Amino acid sequence: MRIEGESEINMTEASAKEPLVLFMPSGKRGRFPVGTPVLEAARKLGVYVESVCGGRATCGRCQIEVQEGNFAKHKIVSSLDHISEKGPKEERYEKVRGLPEGRRLSCSALILGDLVVDVPQDTVINAQVVRKAATDRVIERNAAVQLCYVEVDEPDMHKPLGDLDRLKVMLEKDWGWKDLLIAPHLIPEVQSILRKGNWGVTAAIHRDMDSSRPFIVGLWPGLKNEAYGVACDIGSTTIAMHLVSLLSGRIVASSGTSNPQIRFGEDLMSRVSYVMMNPDGREAMTKAVREAVNSLIGKVCTEGEVDRHDILDMVFVANPIMHHLFLGIDPTELGQAPFALAVSGALQYWAHELDIDVNRGARLYTLPCIAGHVGADAAGATLAEGPYRQDRMMLLVDVGTNAEIVLGNKHRVVAASSPTGPAFEGAEISSGQRAAPGAIERVRIDPSTLEPKFRVIGVDKWSDEEGFAQDAEKVGITGICGSAIIEVVAEMYLTGLISEDGVVDGTMAERSPRVLQNGRTFSYLLHDGEQRITVTQNDIRAIQLAKSALYAGIKLLMEKQGVDHVDTIRFAGAFGSFIDPKYAMVLGLIPDCDLNEVKAVGNAAGTGALMALLNRDHRREIEREVSRIEKIETALEPHFQQLFVNAMAMPNKVDPFPELAKVVTLPERKVLSDDGGGEGGGRRRRRSRE
């Protein structure tokens, strides 16, 4: 056997002079006999080239381009002469539907010599325009749904085989599908669909696990050239959704909406309490979230110009309580120790069983939950970021009302949740609000004058720039959101306005009129306008409690792993996308780490759902890995309380931050009494400003 590269098919010496074919952009290559269809070569190499019509040159999805020239790096001279001329089927397709210049149908084009073949990223016929990019990553496709066009034999009195049975015969003959089941609602429609299509029909076959029997979940007369899926993340505050072409992998629309369950309670535990106190509470919240999901499906379908009944597969992730409520499961047991999940493994449903208005045959898959308060959303983020695929120690943290923490590498992964509360989302903060136009989102404080400048959502300028006031009038300055809360507290620490223990230094009132006395404590005036925005001593305490719960949970996992530092940190979730890593570290929200290794990864849970939607192998991957993750219950760990107390200080009472010290000059420690007076603690170094 001789191999022409890592991805190339093995071949005998006798075939050494067979044409060499290189597929781009995958880089996979192999030798094939003269006369082999390009589509067949792609499939043997594992190169994804879509085909619905079974090589009949009718669907047009298998388009490719041949590159001409001498590719010295690959030792290939590629030419249009090395591919067969267009045959009758290809010419017919080009005449009826058109074929872009330079394109060929790989099911009809035959290999005659060495080739470099491009698989264009826009090969989907009538592809929808991508409105919003959810992720830049390339996800190898192996969807659970496949569209298969077949031409079924007409009835014959001498061969009394039923219409459905003859359909199954052709699906096995043309596509290799055996032991097919069929969604019950389709059985009464088979005969009319076959006759309407003049015996040519497209079947949608759904198979998740290779060990499971495949299902016919959809059937259409003639050639059906499109099928869609939905990846959805149900959060306690928002619901995010991607509408995806299952054939091309393209995200045709993305959108989000508020979770209407907020009216039953801001945080998860309050919603559990609502269920416990109201006989119809569970049903009301289940109905509310399902209605929101249906409304969001309508929104993304309108945006993507897609018929919602062309949705054939769905993948959902959620935190455990949202997971249970969406599925109609009472979450009461999650509100008290031992925080028992009704079910932790992955689940499969018919979407209509959950009142989801899509194709009647659409399937719905939920990722597994990791533990009682580490849910399928954390599993999705773990799949997306893959700490178990890393050599280095990765910390993955989703900052929210209930922070979910995953720490590990390919040798071991541990996970926990930490009750941070809603402070980072603006609740429990005197001027706090959710991120919306008018909310302050960035803050800087001058170390000399103690004067602030800030940015407001909906305004491009900083508050000290010309034209800011006029622009801000349009949206107002209404409050302070989570990202700015972190920054303003960190800035107050760096400028000496507060001590490492979080006490506002009342003596700073001598330097700035922005330091205001409120009884025995002090506050900082961030903005004096129609809406007076201050940072009070109670606000700082709320942030300290929230950040300490998160940091203590992280430190507990680090102790379980036997490490004193992490190599890389990933902030997941919508809030994590707006956190400045430097200020998060100054605050002591996360442990010391090279700041270049701290990155926001956006809605990683939604990306994980997207991966599971487009490739069923990812479902098996995360099911396997979740079973290996070690779950740590922070409430049962005796050392957690001491870690929490240490984390109340900024950045921390005992932990060093050498990497942070390389980019920020931390103040000398000073201790103040609770009323903001007392000892000043000596001189304080000023940090260099950017």
Side-chain angles (χ1 to χ4, degrees):
M1 295 288 189
R2 195 180 132 209
I3 297 177
E4 289 281 348
E6 288 185 4
S7 303
E8 189 174 354
I9 289 177
N10 290 338
M11 59 170 206
T12 63
E13 299 245 348
S15 65
K17 293 187 179 179
E18 288 177 347
L20 178 61
V21 182
L22 169 69
F23 286 92
M24 299 300 287
S26 70
K28 294 181 178 179
R29 50 194 277 164
R31 293 190 180 273
F32 299 92
V34 170
T36 301
V38 175
L39 178 60
E40 181 181 329
R43 285 178 172 168
K44 287 184 177 179
L45 283 172
V47 175
Y48 191 90
V49 179
E50 185 61 60
S51 175
V52 172
C53 66
R56 292 179 173 83
T58 56
C59 72
R61 289 191 175 271
C62 66
Q63 295 178 21
I64 51 95
E65 293 178 355
V66 172
Q67 300 298 310
E68 288 197 286
N70 185 347
F71 297 84
K73 177 182 176 182
H74 304 290
K75 299 179 181 178
I76 294 176
V77 177
S78 179
S79 168
L80 291 176
D81 295 333
H82 294 174
I83 196 167
S84 64
E85 295 183 358
K86 294 175 184 174
K89 290 182 180 180
E90 199 171 359
E91 288 179 342
R92 181 189 65 209
Y93 177 88
E94 185 172 30
K95 182 178 180 181
V96 174
R97 303 189 64 181
L99 200 58
E101 186 177 353
R103 295 281 178 88
R104 296 293 303 274
L105 298 183
S106 62
C107 64
S108 297
L110 307 180
I111 298 168
L112 303 181
D114 293 351
L115 290 171
V116 174
V117 177
D118 261 358
V119 182
Q121 300 304 298
D122 62 344
T123 53
V124 181
I125 303 306
N126 300 323
Q128 303 297 325
V129 176
V130 179
R131 262 69 170 193
K132 297 179 182 179
T135 178
D136 294 330
R137 76 175 64 204
V138 176
I139 301 171
E140 186 175 348
R141 284 165 287 160
N142 183 18
V145 172
Q146 182 179 355
L147 294 185
C148 302
Y149 175 80
V150 290
E151 293 174 354
V152 180
D153 293 338
E154 295 186 31
D156 185 341
M157 286 191 294
H158 299 290
K159 299 177 181 178
L161 199 62
D163 286 357
L164 173 58
D165 301 281
R166 294 197 314 283
L167 170 62
K168 290 182 179 179
V169 167
M170 293 310 297
L171 285 168
E172 180 175 352
K173 179 182 176 182
D174 288 2
W175 294 91
W177 291 110
K178 297 180 180 180
D179 299 323
L180 281 167
L181 299 172
I182 185 167
H185 76 279
L186 287 174
I187 295 175
E189 303 175 15
V190 169
Q191 289 193 310
S192 62
I193 292 172
L194 283 168
R195 284 157 180 79
K196 187 176 180 180
N198 195 25
W199 307 103
V201 294
T202 302
I205 312 297
H206 185 286
R207 183 172 66 180
D208 187 352
M209 295 181 287
D210 289 335
S211 59
S212 63
R213 290 181 66 181
F215 258 96
I216 302 173
V217 296
L219 191 66
W220 299 268
L223 180 67
K224 176 75 171 176
N225 219 13
E226 56 193 14
Y228 297 92
V230 159
C232 185
D233 174 19
I234 302 177
S236 54
T237 305
T238 58
I239 304 172
M241 182 177 289
H242 305 307
L243 176 67
V244 188
S245 166
L246 294 176
L247 280 77
S248 71
R250 294 183 176 205
I251 299 169
V252 299
S254 298
S255 191
T257 188
S258 296
N259 188 332
Q261 291 180 347
I262 288 175
R263 66 177 180 264
F264 301 102
E266 280 274 346
D267 58 73
L268 295 172
M269 286 301 104
S270 63
R271 294 180 205 177
V272 174
S273 297
Y274 186 89
V275 172
M276 296 171 69
M277 297 172 63
N278 295 273
D280 299 326
R282 198 279 302 159
E283 291 85 350
M285 281 196 274
T286 294
K287 182 180 179 183
V289 71
R290 289 179 181 178
E291 286 178 348
V293 167
N294 275 320
S295 176
L296 196 52
I297 290 171
K299 185 177 180 181
V300 292
C301 285
T302 298
E303 183 178 343
E305 300 174 8
V306 168
D307 184 339
R308 68 190 300 148
H309 297 107
D310 283 336
I311 294 173
L312 295 172
D313 201 16
M314 312 183 80
V315 173
F316 279 72
V317 296
N319 63 57
I321 291 173
M322 293 298 97
H323 170 276
H324 279 35
L325 287 171
F326 174 66
L327 297 178
I329 302 170
D330 189 330
T332 301
E333 292 296 330
L334 288 167
Q336 56 201 357
F339 312 111
L341 291 156
V343 56
S344 55
L347 296 171
Q348 287 267 12
Y349 288 84
W350 296 102
H352 68 81
E353 293 176 331
L354 302 181
D355 304 319
I356 305 301
D357 182 15
V358 288
N359 188 285
R360 176 80 176 171
R363 300 288 286 170
L364 188 150
Y365 172 87
T366 66
L367 268 67
C369 291
I370 296 175
H373 285 292
V374 188
D377 52 351
T382 301
L383 173 62
E385 295 307 311
Y388 56 88
R389 298 189 290 262
Q390 311 289 325
D391 290 317
R392 300 191 299 166
M393 189 61 64
M394 173 185 282
L395 171 65
L396 175 62
V397 56
D398 189 339
V399 184
T401 304
N402 186 67
E404 294 169 316
I405 315 162
V406 179
L407 176 69
N409 55 23
K410 66 182 181 182
H411 300 295
R412 183 188 183 206
V413 179
V414 293
S417 65
S418 201
T420 53
F424 290 133
E425 296 179 352
E428 301 178 354
I429 304 299
S430 59
S431 298
Q433 69 165 86
R434 297 196 185 280
I440 295 174
E441 63 172 341
R442 292 278 178 261
V443 178
R444 302 289 183 269
I445 299 176
D446 187 280
S448 301
T449 65
L450 303 183
E451 282 296 300
K453 66 176 182 178
F454 52 81
R455 287 190 64 167
V456 174
I457 297 176
V459 180
D460 292 332
K461 299 181 177 67
W462 284 84
S463 59
D464 62 344
E465 293 181 324
E466 186 177 348
F468 170 83
Q470 294 88 335
D471 292 347
E473 282 182 7
K474 301 172 186 176
V475 296
I477 302 174
T478 54
I480 182 168
C481 69
S483 59
I485 291 167
I486 290 174
E487 291 189 6
V488 72
V489 175
E491 282 277 303
M492 288 175 72
Y493 168 62
L494 290 171
T495 54
L497 283 163
I498 59 177
S499 68
E500 68 166 9
D501 291 324
V503 177
V504 181
D505 187 351
T507 64
M508 301 295 273
E510 300 172 6
R511 289 181 51 193
S512 172
R514 290 188 176 272
V515 179
L516 309 174
Q517 186 164 7
N518 308 106
R520 295 182 67 244
T521 63
F522 293 82
S523 60
Y524 178 73
L525 179 63
L526 183 59
H527 172 67
D528 194 6
E530 186 174 334
Q531 187 81 19
R532 204 164 197 244
I533 300 172
T534 60
V535 182
T536 69
Q537 184 65 69
N538 285 338
D539 294 340
I540 294 168
R541 283 287 178 255
I543 292 300
Q544 283 180 283
L545 291 169
K547 74 102 173 180
S548 298
L550 176 56
Y551 191 92
I554 294 170
K555 282 293 291 185
L556 193 63
L557 294 189
M558 291 173 66
E559 288 185 355
K560 294 294 182 182
Q561 288 280 23
V563 298
D564 59 6
H565 73 283
V566 297
D567 298 313
T568 182
I569 299 175
R570 297 291 180 266
F571 273 121
F575 179 48
S577 300
F578 297 97
I579 296 176
D580 186 313
K582 179 175 72 175
Y583 289 103
M585 203 173 289
V586 169
L587 189 67
L589 189 69
I590 52 176
D592 190 59
C593 182
D594 180 351
L595 281 170
N596 293 321
E597 293 290 344
V598 185
K599 293 182 172 59
V601 292
N603 185 10
T607 300
L610 187 64
M611 292 169 67
L613 176 69
L614 289 174
N615 192 326
R616 59 196 177 100
D617 293 338
H618 286 312
R619 304 181 188 187
R620 308 292 84 76
E621 177 185 345
I622 194 57
E623 289 166 9
R624 180 180 65 250
E625 294 303 326
V626 163
S627 69
R628 297 175 179 173
I629 294 175
E630 297 176 42
K631 298 85 179 176
I632 309 300
E633 180 52 62
T634 57
L636 301 179
E637 296 291 334
H639 192 39
F640 181 82
Q641 189 61 34
Q642 185 58 53
L643 293 172
F644 181 91
V645 171
N646 292 340
M648 285 290 287
M650 286 177 264
N652 192 276
K653 182 68 75 175
V654 297
D655 289 348
F657 280 74
E659 292 294 335
L660 178 62
K662 293 177 182 178
V663 294
V664 174
T665 303
L666 295 172
E668 290 183 359
R669 293 183 168 181
K670 64 178 178 179
V671 178
L672 301 175
S673 60
D674 289 339
D675 61 3
E679 293 183 358
R683 296 173 58 193
R684 175 181 44 82
R685 294 196 310 269
R686 281 182 191 161
R687 67 178 180 129
S688 58
R689 304 291 294 185
E690 293 176 354

